[in-house]
Amino acid sequence: MTVKQFEQYYLTCRVNFFRYTRQFVKDEKAAQDIVSNAFEHCWKVKEKFDTQAAMQKYLYAICRSRSYNFLKYGSGFKNKKELIVKDLEALAQVVSADDEVTRNTMINEHLEEMHKALQQLPDQKRSIIQLAFLEELSNDEVASQLGITPLHVRVAKSKALAQLRNLLQNKILLDACALILLS
């Protein structure tokens, strides 16, 4: 990944990581620092990532881990012996809610990307995808609603999905499907 690509990714995604981190630490300044440090660390080890999706998962893990550390140790000036029961209880609540928060955050991001990609499809293909997948209509039902043949629906649906895969660079669609299947 080049410097320019990384900067573009940072500018595009930092707000999502900030929101995600702020859900844990409830402190805007701390969340900003955590996200900035996570991106800085990620830049140092960028060679480890084959895809942008892999880097994204790594960044979520870093933000989550550093949020836990912030909750556990504060700004870093407390030592481990100074922990109090309230800190541990807060950490336990965040840890138990973590999987749900992470999954929901990633699903929302992917749904936004999928919605943007859908808007780029031609009108008929977009209508077919919306009727077939969002309203869960059969090919025959879609055909009757749009006044086309079921064969045309199958062909257009196939082409629309291929176009969506290209628009989404395969990763977002696959990640979203995996997250939905895991829920």
Side-chain angles (χ1 to χ4, degrees):
M1 179 176 277
T2 66
V3 173
K4 188 169 184 132
Q5 289 172 323
F6 190 82
E7 285 176 356
Q8 182 61 38
Y9 180 73
Y10 173 76
L11 293 173
T12 304
C13 297
R14 69 178 176 203
V15 173
N16 292 333
F17 287 103
F18 171 73
R19 281 190 216 131
Y20 175 73
T21 304
R22 193 178 59 198
Q23 290 178 43
F24 294 116
V25 298
K26 310 285 191 253
D27 180 327
E28 288 198 26
K29 177 77 172 111
Q32 288 172 349
D33 290 345
I34 289 169
V35 171
S36 294
N37 289 336
F39 271 96
E40 183 181 328
H41 174 74
C42 199
W43 174 251
K44 290 177 185 176
V45 296
K46 66 185 177 294
E47 297 82 27
K48 290 183 177 182
F49 310 111
D50 296 339
T51 65
Q52 194 171 344
M55 184 173 69
Q56 180 181 17
K57 289 176 186 173
Y58 186 74
L59 278 165
Y60 275 116
I62 290 173
C63 289
R64 182 179 58 242
S65 174
R66 292 185 179 181
S67 295
Y68 291 164
N69 287 341
F70 177 83
L71 290 172
K72 196 171 180 182
Y73 304 116
S75 62
F77 297 109
K78 293 181 189 175
N79 66 35
K80 293 179 185 179
K81 293 178 183 176
E82 293 178 39
L83 286 175
I84 57 173
V85 173
K86 285 183 186 177
D87 292 335
L88 291 173
E89 288 172 354
L91 180 62
Q93 288 174 353
V94 171
V95 170
S96 65
D98 173 49
D99 291 337
E100 186 73 19
V101 171
T102 301
R103 187 173 54 75
N104 289 340
T105 301
M106 291 180 74
I107 287 172
N108 288 337
E109 283 181 21
H110 291 314
L111 288 175
E112 274 182 41
E113 291 297 322
M114 289 175 72
H115 180 70
K116 289 177 189 174
L118 270 174
Q119 297 309 312
Q120 294 178 32
L121 292 177
D123 290 339
Q124 187 178 45
K125 286 181 182 175
R126 183 175 48 247
S127 296
I128 289 171
I129 293 296
Q130 289 174 334
L131 291 171
F133 293 103
L134 300 178
E135 295 184 26
E136 299 178 357
L137 299 180
S138 69
N139 287 346
D140 291 334
E141 293 169 324
V142 172
S144 68
Q145 275 202 346
L146 297 178
I148 56 178
T149 67
L151 177 62
H152 185 103
V153 170
R154 273 183 273 156
V155 171
K157 187 171 26 171
S158 176
K159 287 181 180 180
L161 288 173
Q163 196 171 352
L164 279 174
R165 275 189 224 97
N166 287 334
L167 289 169
L168 296 169
Q169 302 171 5
N170 291 329
K171 67 177 175 41
I172 294 173
L173 184 61
L174 294 174
D175 286 350
C177 290
L179 285 170
I180 290 168
L181 291 173
L182 291 173
S183 60

